[in-house]
């Protein structure tokens, strides 16, 4: 057993792992992931006491989000089989082992404590690199092999940044990886506001405050982050099991949830964009400045 001693925002990596593994352990799972199932049993961490019970619908929702990212990565690797995937805030995600094509390069970026834990509990091969860096510091872009295409993913990360930091991160990616792609998820403004008021999650544990939220209609404002931002595309959640699984890909057409729902977004960066200009102020580029 390996002790997992994470707190605060890094602890959320254990929350997402716990939920994906709970879903993956079902015989009718939407996300087969034996490595995640095993990893949970190998970690010395009181999952249930610290994070509450993993409710089946939350576990499936977290797994469907992971599956949406898997589909983005698989589509990228289909056109760039030797490309580089950079997983920002990757925590204990086991996505590499779900999607690897045997050729891709994979860079994991996270804060030093979660990264150190990841290095101890998951086996990293020659095509994988671990980079301990705060994503608010653009040094994580150094040394990335971008020659065969780059996909940057940020699953469960950007909501923990300030709006201006989200804008800067998008601009950093656009500058560093012309022709590249960034895929990330976001929570709604209302959800982010609730976390800042101390809301608890469905398992009863307090959610870390989320400074950034974005409603669906605000998505196009992301173009203001950098002139190279081209396509801004909605990535629907895949279909899953039961009512939740039926509704997941249809959330955009449900009147009550159309604007107020979690989003997965894919941004493309043009290779031929105008020379860099500094990002515009956060309020215009990344929605939701906390009041
Ligand atoms: C909710 S977890 C998501 C982990 C993983 N992507 C997943 O979906 O399971 C958030 C992750 O972001 C990392 N993180 C938060 N703020 C960060 C920052 N400023 N720089 C780098 N990583 C950060 C945390 O350490 C944690 O691993």
């Amino acid at each position: 057993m390996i002790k997992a001693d994470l707190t605060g925002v890094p602890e959320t990596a254990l929350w997402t792992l716990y939920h994906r593994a709970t879903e993956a352990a079902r015989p009718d799972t939407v996300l087969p992931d034996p490595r995640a199932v095993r990893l949970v049993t190998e970690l010395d961490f009181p999952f249930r006491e610290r994070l509450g019970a993993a409710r089946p619908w939350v576990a499936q929702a977290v797994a469907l989000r992971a599956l949406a990212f898997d589909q983005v990565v698989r589509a990228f690797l289909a056109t760039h089989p030797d490309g580089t995937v950079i997983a920002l805030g990757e925590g204990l995600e086991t996505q590499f082992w779900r999607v690897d094509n045997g050729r891709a390069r994979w860079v994991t970026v996270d804060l030093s404590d979660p990264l150190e834990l990841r290095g101890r509990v998951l086996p990293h091969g020659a095509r994988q690199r671990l980079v301990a860096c705060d994503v608010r510091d653009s040094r994580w872009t150094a040394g990335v092999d971008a020659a065969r295409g780059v996909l940057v993913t940020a699953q469960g990360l950007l909501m923990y940044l300030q709006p201006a930091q989200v804008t800067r991160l998008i601009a950093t990616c656009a500058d560093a990886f012309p022709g590249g792609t960034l895929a990330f998820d976001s929570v709604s403004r209302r959800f982010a506001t609730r976390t800042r008021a101390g809301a608890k999650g469905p398992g009863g544990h307090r959610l870390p405050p989320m400074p950034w939220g974005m409603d669906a209609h605000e998505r196009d404002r992301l173009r203001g982050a950098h002139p190279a931002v081209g396509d801004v595309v909605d990535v629907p959640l895949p279909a899953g099991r039961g009512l939740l699984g039926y509704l997941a890909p249809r959330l955009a057409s449900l009147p009550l949830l159309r604007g107020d729902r979690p989003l997965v977004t894919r941004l493309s960066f043009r290779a031929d964009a105008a020379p860099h200009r500094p990002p515009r102020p956060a309020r215009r580029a990344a929605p939701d400045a906390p009041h």
Side-chain angles (χ1 to χ4, degrees):
M1 295 284 268
I2 298 173
K3 193 159 183 57
D5 210 4
L6 303 177
T7 54
V9 171
E11 188 186 71
T12 61
L14 290 157
W15 188 90
T16 47
L17 169 67
Y18 175 42
H19 285 82
R20 278 193 307 273
T22 300
E23 168 61 32
R26 295 176 62 111
D28 56 354
T29 184
V30 298
L31 187 78
D33 191 339
R35 192 170 287 276
V37 175
R38 192 165 71 234
L39 181 52
V40 162
T41 66
E42 291 167 353
L43 288 172
D44 176 9
F45 181 79
F47 283 97
R48 202 186 164 98
E49 286 136 58
R50 285 271 281 275
L51 306 177
R55 310 234 180 255
W57 72 269
V58 184
Q60 188 186 177
V62 172
L64 289 177
R65 178 179 77 172
L67 200 51
F69 278 86
D70 285 4
Q71 290 178 353
V72 172
V73 176
R74 287 197 180 101
F76 168 74
L77 293 181
T79 51
H80 305 80
D82 302 297
T84 300
V85 177
I86 308 172
L88 301 181
E90 193 171 28
L92 298 169
E93 232 307 10
T94 44
Q95 183 182 48
F96 174 82
W97 294 275
R98 295 195 301 269
V99 302
D100 183 34
N101 63 356
R103 290 161 64 180
R105 289 157 179 78
W106 199 277
V107 181
T108 297
V109 181
D110 210 310
L111 301 169
S112 49
D113 285 350
L115 195 86
E116 195 261 333
L117 177 62
R118 181 183 176 91
R120 280 198 293 144
V121 298
L122 289 169
H124 293 89
R127 290 179 289 111
Q128 291 163 279
R129 196 155 69 86
L130 300 179
V131 177
C133 191
D134 190 315
V135 299
R136 294 169 293 187
D137 175 341
S138 63
R139 276 179 288 186
W140 63 265
T141 60
V144 170
D145 176 1
R148 285 163 291 266
V150 170
L151 168 68
V152 182
T153 66
Q155 187 189 175
L157 170 67
L158 299 196
M159 56 288 285
Y160 298 112
L161 304 184
Q162 296 292 333
Q165 294 165 347
V166 173
T167 307
R168 268 203 300 279
L169 182 64
I170 294 171
T172 295
C173 293
D175 272 335
F177 309 119
T181 301
L182 167 67
F184 63 92
D185 63 305
S186 52
V187 298
S188 70
R189 277 174 176 266
R190 184 147 51 139
F191 190 88
T193 304
R194 284 185 50 227
T195 65
R196 299 197 295 270
K200 291 190 173 167
H205 100 296
R206 197 172 290 280
L207 300 166
M210 299 181 184
W212 185 62
M214 174 179 80
D215 292 347
H217 71 274
E218 300 176 288
R219 223 188 219 143
D220 272 347
R221 289 198 217 158
L222 296 168
R223 292 180 202 282
H226 193 282
V229 176
D231 294 340
V232 178
V233 176
D234 178 56
V235 180
L237 291 180
R241 190 182 54 242
L243 181 62
L244 173 83
Y246 173 80
L247 292 177
R250 297 173 170 82
L251 294 181
S253 56
L254 299 178
L256 278 178
L257 290 179
R258 195 175 290 147
D260 182 8
R261 64 189 163 101
L263 301 172
V264 181
T265 303
R266 182 165 52 74
L267 301 185
S268 308
F269 303 121
R270 283 192 295 269
D272 57 351
H276 172 257
R277 61 185 157 87
R280 293 177 188 167
R283 262 183 302 131
R284 296 176 60 194
D288 195 5
H291 307 294

